[in-house]
């Protein structure tokens, strides 16, 4: 297994920008940490994406999502105006509670600058008004969000080194080489903190998964959305799988990885990954029909492994239309031998990125 010190010794070979427009993701990049935890504004789209499970003192099982997005709009970079939106940041936070039966969520959005929003280069420190995620000098991540229905203040402690997805961090998303992202995950984060809800504050503990991706051409080739799963396995392993979906449900690309408990990594090709619906749920708000329970099959050297991904409950749709943001299904799931999150995009409407 690669150790944290080995990762720290690596040096990033930055992707070179195209003659016009944002930088292009290319194979052969090398990563250095903590720099990769920070922002990469030369690329069009980027996110810091945390999903996890929480337990309360009374043994309630909850799911949570905290995601910060950064995007570079198509504006003239030579525009000297301080009001020109050179970077836009937005964020989602959600809480999944089976006793509530639907997703509790909130959103934020602002252009970078003016003390409202920023994404630091060099290490994780992203803030959007009163929401923030940052990395401490000791390597822990801390985040806080406040919505109308809940507030979370969490510390995320890495127990494993980053997992470079794809080919050493170069993750294909389509048939053309530039249809790709730079991508790494930090699974098995230990979580502690506080949850405030209904006028009460209680301690919570749990386990989480951090995804970091940046790209300038994430969805190409007629893609309308994707399915993604990130699973912390009970034996200490970690499994990520995704499927890029075109019109009519056709598969454009797929991939992922399994890091075994001993640190060995198996990389998946498009032919190695399959998502099959087990149960569907139709949203009463958007009319979208989501395959909220799925059988994930991945081909391993020892044979095909099948995992039934079963949602904590069906209605985990994040409907952010009132804030001018996308609609997608983001749900806590259980499976035999692990738990994690399933994400389904492009079902209410084709996703544009």
């Amino acid at each position: 297994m690669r150790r944290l010190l080995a990762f720290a010794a690596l040096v990033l070979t930055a992707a070179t920008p195209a003659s016009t427009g944002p930088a292009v993701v290319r194979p052969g990049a090398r990563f250095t940490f903590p720099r990769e935890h920070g922002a990469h504004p030369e690329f069009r789209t980027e996110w810091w994406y945390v999903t996890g499970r929480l337990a309360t003192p009374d043994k309630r099982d909850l799911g949570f999502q905290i995601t910060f997005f950064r995007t570079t709009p198509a504006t003239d970079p030579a525009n000297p105006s301080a009001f020109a939106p050179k970077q836009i940041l937005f964020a989602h936070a959600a809480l999944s509670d089976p006793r509530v039966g639907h997703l509790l969520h909130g959103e934020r959005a602002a252009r970078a600058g003016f003390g409202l929003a920023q994404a630091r280069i060099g290490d994780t420190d992203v803030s959007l008004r009163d929401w923030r995620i940052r990395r401490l000098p000791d390597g822990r991540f801390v985040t806080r969000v406040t919505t109308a229905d809940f507030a979370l203040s969490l510390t995320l402690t890495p127990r494993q080194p980053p997992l470079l997805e794809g080919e050493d961090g170069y993750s294909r998303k389509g048939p053309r080489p530039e249809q790709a992202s730079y991508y790494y995950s930090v699974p098995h984060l230990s979580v502690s903190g506080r949850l405030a809800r209904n006028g009460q504050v209680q301690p919570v503990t749990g386990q989480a998964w951090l995804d970091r991706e940046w790209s300038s051409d994430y969805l190409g080739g007629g893609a309308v959305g994707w399915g993604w799963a990130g699973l912390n396995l009970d034996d200490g392993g970690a499994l990520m799988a995704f499927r890029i979906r075109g019109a009519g449900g056709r598969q454009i690309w797929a991939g992922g990885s399994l890091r075994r408990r001993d640190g060995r990594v198996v990389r998946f090709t498009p032919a190695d990954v399959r998502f099959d619906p087990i149960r569907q749920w139709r949203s009463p708000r958007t009319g979208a029909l989501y395959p909220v329970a799925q059988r994930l099959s991945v081909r391993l050297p020892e044979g095909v492994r099948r995992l039934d991904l079963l949602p904590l409950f069906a209605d985990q749709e994040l409907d952010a239309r009132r804030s001018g943001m996308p609609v997608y299904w983001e749900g806590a799931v259980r499976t035999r031998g692990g738990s994690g999150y399933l994400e389904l995009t492009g079902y209410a409407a084709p996703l544009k990125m």
Side-chain angles (χ1 to χ4, degrees):
M1 186 194 329
R2 296 185 180 185
R3 301 296 182 186
L4 286 169
L5 290 177
F7 278 98
L10 294 175
V11 177
L12 174 69
T13 302
T16 56
S19 57
T20 59
V24 177
V25 172
R26 304 185 191 280
R30 293 178 297 160
F31 285 67
T32 183
F33 293 94
R35 191 168 84 176
E36 304 320 319
H37 294 314
H40 303 80
E42 65 272 26
F43 293 89
R44 179 180 291 119
T45 303
E46 182 167 19
W47 54 75
W48 294 255
Y49 172 91
V50 181
T51 54
R53 306 296 287 272
L54 297 174
T56 64
D58 58 354
K59 307 301 183 184
R60 295 180 70 173
D61 185 15
L62 309 173
F64 78 95
Q65 177 216 160
I66 299 174
T67 308
F68 288 81
F69 303 87
R70 182 205 56 77
T71 185
T72 303
T75 57
D76 182 0
N79 187 339
S81 172
F83 294 94
K86 294 180 173 61
Q87 300 284 326
I88 302 293
L89 280 83
F90 59 103
H92 293 166
L95 187 72
S96 294
D97 184 345
R99 296 188 190 180
V100 174
H102 63 84
L103 203 65
L104 303 174
H105 63 89
E107 297 83 35
R108 291 283 189 278
R111 70 183 66 190
F114 303 101
L116 297 176
Q118 65 88 28
R120 176 186 166 193
I121 297 172
D123 207 342
T124 298
D125 191 353
V126 188
S127 60
L128 214 170
R129 288 183 263 172
D130 58 331
W131 292 19
R132 189 177 186 186
I133 183 170
R134 63 190 177 98
R135 182 179 169 274
L136 301 177
D138 62 8
R140 295 178 300 161
F141 296 86
V142 292
T143 184
R144 66 173 186 269
V145 295
T146 302
T147 75
D149 295 309
F150 67 91
L152 283 168
S153 178
L154 302 176
T155 298
L156 315 171
T157 303
R159 300 301 187 193
Q160 298 181 1
L163 168 60
L164 299 183
E165 302 289 2
E167 301 170 18
D168 294 323
Y170 167 75
S171 175
R172 288 279 294 271
K173 297 299 191 293
R176 298 204 309 267
E178 68 272 18
Q179 293 168 347
S181 68
Y182 291 132
Y183 183 7
Y184 69 88
S185 306
V186 186
H188 287 285
L189 291 157
S190 177
V191 182
S192 61
R194 299 185 306 277
L195 166 64
R197 188 164 47 142
N198 301 323
Q200 297 183 334
V201 179
Q202 58 186 159
V204 289
T205 58
Q207 187 171 234
W209 178 295
L210 169 66
D211 257 6
R212 288 283 289 112
E213 285 196 76
W214 55 100
S215 175
S216 295
D217 191 4
Y218 195 91
L219 288 181
V224 300
W226 65 77
W228 170 92
L231 303 172
N232 286 318
L233 302 178
D234 295 341
D235 66 359
L239 190 150
M240 184 279 292
F242 70 89
R243 173 179 180 261
I244 304 295
R245 202 179 73 259
R250 67 185 178 92
Q251 178 170 298
I252 292 177
W253 202 259
S257 64
L258 168 68
R259 181 157 68 188
R260 302 182 191 271
R261 61 182 301 175
D262 62 4
R264 292 178 298 143
V265 177
V266 179
R267 310 289 183 186
F268 303 142
T269 70
D272 294 332
V273 177
R274 183 182 176 97
F275 287 87
D276 292 304
I278 297 174
R279 185 171 79 250
Q280 295 181 310
W281 170 81
R282 187 176 296 279
S283 166
R285 292 171 296 276
T286 65
L289 185 64
Y290 297 100
V292 297
Q294 299 204 36
R295 176 162 296 150
L296 170 61
S297 302
V298 293
R299 183 180 292 117
L300 301 170
E302 64 270 24
V304 175
R305 181 173 181 177
R306 297 178 178 86
L307 302 101
D308 288 353
L309 310 180
L310 306 177
L312 206 54
F313 55 93
D315 189 355
Q316 297 183 80
E317 182 186 52
L318 200 157
D319 181 1
R321 289 176 297 175
R322 288 184 300 176
S323 303
M325 300 185 202
V327 177
Y328 56 98
W329 194 94
E330 184 80 31
V333 295
R334 299 187 182 99
T335 192
R336 184 176 180 180
S339 65
Y341 257 72
L342 173 67
E343 183 179 61
L344 306 168
T345 73
Y347 285 88
L351 193 63
K352 303 291 185 182
M353 292 189 68

